[in-house]
Amino acid sequence: MSAKKRRDAREEEVRGRSPLQDAFHRLLKHRAGTLGGIFIILVILVALFVDTTIPAAIFGGEVKPLIAPKHFAEVSFFERDLPPGTPGYLLGTDYLGRDILSRTLYGTRISLSIAIVAALVSLVIGLTYGIISGFAPTRVDNAMMRFVDFLYGFPLIIFVILLQAYFKAVSRRGATGLVGVMVNIDRALGGMFFLFVALGVLNWIGMARLARAQTLSVKQKEYIESARALGAGNLRIVFRHVLPNILGPCIVSETLAIPGYISTEAFLSFIGLGVTPPTPSWGLMISETYAAIRTYPWESLIPGVALALTTLAFNFLGDGLRDAFDPRLRGT
């Protein structure tokens, strides 16, 4: 086949793709993004099926005789701080004799739960607020954006720390009514519920700005004017024309923000304001063992490496999605 025919065949193939198929094709050509996506899929599978593959080697939990055959209360002094490669403990044990492999793999649930819930909350609230602001009259739009600017004045991490400190105090003191129900839910989730609330309070404001800017751009297009001329209402225009056209950049933005959510959870757990012990979290594992890093380095390095690899994978996937949904690269 000649070069011209191959080029014509390729152009015909490109023209036959839908925008979503073309974006997926570009993502597959992005090596770092593809590797990041594969790693994230593996992490998700581990989080989903960890109960059937490894034991819950945590104090107070049910332990299956696979990798960590003994309960914490039955662990002798000589089974603590075991190095990686010890029979029965592939990655060793910590200072309490708990299996590091099991706790590291269970920590994927915490990180992924935080990432998914925080991203969904930010996406839903930010999209709704931004689209309403973009379609609202000028005075309403200005008032809504000034409120967002006011929230931007709060230092996010300090505000989250204050919220978590308040939630922890309420949880220790006990409460009744709605607050008591929230405390019980938080205890059942190992301290994750209040993390969801704290991380979801202000993280949507960046998404709201992006959604508003995208809405203002799209609503000036000719097909929006055509839809209005045909009698379509604002609600129909939003769901049929605006939302499908702005969803791609918003999803890419949230994917790039996920590493920040994971790092924030690890930081809060490190300073004692994250999940409730003995719930295994990478930040909590590092916090409990960093003081002995010169003597038993694997106890801190293993969860630290897991945290670093997961955040890097989400960064790579976000970069790949950004290139994949770039309309200037369509057909390349």
Side-chain angles (χ1 to χ4, degrees):
M1 182 182 293
S2 65
K4 184 177 182 303
K5 288 184 178 180
R6 286 196 300 269
R7 186 170 61 253
D8 292 342
R10 183 177 179 279
E11 291 176 356
E12 183 65 28
E13 179 187 357
V14 170
R15 284 195 296 268
R17 298 179 195 150
S18 67
L20 187 59
Q21 290 173 333
D22 191 65
F24 182 71
H25 180 79
R26 291 201 300 272
L27 178 60
L28 292 179
K29 293 173 66 177
H30 194 286
R31 293 184 180 179
T34 303
L35 290 176
I38 293 173
F39 184 86
I40 291 169
I41 291 174
L42 292 176
V43 170
I44 291 174
L45 291 176
V46 167
L48 289 176
F49 300 107
V50 66
D51 286 323
T52 60
T53 55
I54 64 165
I58 57 175
F59 173 62
E62 179 184 1
V63 178
K64 304 172 185 177
L66 182 60
I67 296 176
K70 292 187 177 181
H71 191 277
F72 164 73
E74 302 172 354
V75 175
S76 69
F77 175 80
F78 299 101
E79 290 175 297
R80 301 175 185 179
D81 297 316
L82 295 177
T86 302
Y89 302 96
L90 185 61
L91 296 181
T93 62
D94 63 7
Y95 69 106
L96 293 177
R98 298 173 297 188
D99 180 40
I100 293 178
L101 175 61
S102 298
R103 287 175 60 79
T104 301
L105 294 180
Y106 265 86
T108 61
R109 283 188 172 177
I110 305 301
S111 294
L112 287 180
S113 299
I114 294 298
I116 292 172
V117 173
L120 286 177
V121 170
S122 174
L123 188 65
V124 172
I125 297 179
L127 268 177
T128 304
Y129 193 94
I131 291 175
I132 292 175
S133 178
F135 263 86
T138 304
R139 289 186 178 180
V140 177
D141 179 31
N142 288 334
M144 294 178 72
M145 284 300 103
R146 297 300 75 76
F147 177 68
V148 170
D149 293 338
F150 173 75
L151 292 180
Y152 257 111
F154 285 93
L156 177 60
I157 189 64
I158 296 177
F159 192 73
V160 170
I161 289 174
L162 291 176
L163 280 179
Q164 278 297 95
Y166 170 76
F167 291 146
K168 293 291 183 182
V170 170
S171 181
R172 287 192 298 267
R173 186 174 65 247
T176 58
L178 178 60
V179 177
V181 173
M182 295 173 63
V183 168
N184 291 332
I185 294 175
D186 183 69
R187 288 174 179 170
L189 294 177
M192 286 195 298
F193 179 73
F194 288 145
L195 266 177
F196 296 153
V197 175
L199 291 176
V201 169
L202 293 179
N203 279 312
W204 57 270
I205 55 181
M207 176 56 57
R209 278 189 163 184
L210 176 61
R212 172 184 175 270
Q214 293 288 326
T215 301
L216 290 175
S217 175
V218 169
K219 78 174 189 177
Q220 305 297 329
K221 301 296 184 181
E222 290 79 2
Y223 56 85
I224 299 295
E225 297 297 328
S226 300
R228 290 189 186 279
L230 292 173
N234 285 338
L235 196 62
R236 180 179 177 83
I237 291 174
V238 166
F239 284 101
R240 291 294 300 272
H241 302 289
V242 176
L243 188 59
N245 285 284
I246 71 172
L247 194 58
C250 293
I251 291 177
V252 172
S253 176
E254 275 308 309
T255 306
L256 290 170
I258 284 177
Y261 302 145
I262 296 176
S263 300
T264 301
E265 181 276 322
F267 168 72
L268 291 173
S269 296
F270 182 83
I271 63 176
L273 294 175
V275 297
T276 305
T279 304
S281 164
W282 294 334
L284 183 61
M285 292 174 67
I286 297 171
S287 175
E288 292 175 340
T289 58
Y290 79 94
I293 192 170
R294 295 181 62 183
T295 310
Y296 309 110
W298 64 87
E299 296 180 8
S300 297
L301 291 179
I302 291 172
V305 169
L307 176 63
L309 290 177
T310 304
T311 53
L312 281 175
F314 275 107
N315 275 324
F316 291 154
L317 180 60
D319 289 338
L321 289 175
R322 181 175 54 193
D323 293 344
F325 283 99
D326 191 340
R328 294 170 298 180
L329 299 178
R330 177 166 171 76
T332 59

